[in-house]
Amino acid sequence: MTEVIPPPLAGPTSKERKYDRQLRLWGANGQAALEEAHILLVNSGSGVAGVEALKNLVLPGTGMIQDEKCNRN
């Protein structure tokens, strides 16, 4: 009797490891939609709110982000 050895399982890709949390939450379709998103961030000052918002948009892999500053007169 010949023993059949199954092929080794492929591990996760580097992209799957990087975006593991988003993939678990939204799945591959949700991650693809996030990567294709275009976001305009209007920053009205030098406070940390804009910086935190930008960080939270970049980390999950948002496709294109444009940051514009508003001048208050």
Side-chain angles (χ1 to χ4, degrees):
M1 179 173 212
T2 307
E3 184 177 336
V4 177
I5 300 173
L9 297 175
T13 65
S14 62
K15 184 177 179 179
E16 289 171 338
R17 284 192 303 272
K18 183 175 183 178
Y19 299 122
D20 180 61
R21 290 180 184 166
Q22 291 85 262
L23 289 168
R24 290 178 190 213
L25 182 62
W26 300 309
N29 291 337
Q31 184 63 31
L34 187 60
E35 291 173 2
E36 294 171 5
H38 297 264
I39 296 175
L40 172 64
L41 176 65
V42 179
N43 193 357
S44 62
S46 61
V48 297
V51 173
E52 280 296 311
L54 185 61
K55 177 195 75 155
N56 291 331
L57 291 168
V58 169
L59 287 177
T62 302
M64 181 177 170
I65 299 174
Q66 184 174 347
D67 183 19
E68 295 292 330
K69 295 185 180 183
C70 292
N71 293 327
R72 292 184 184 181
N73 293 328

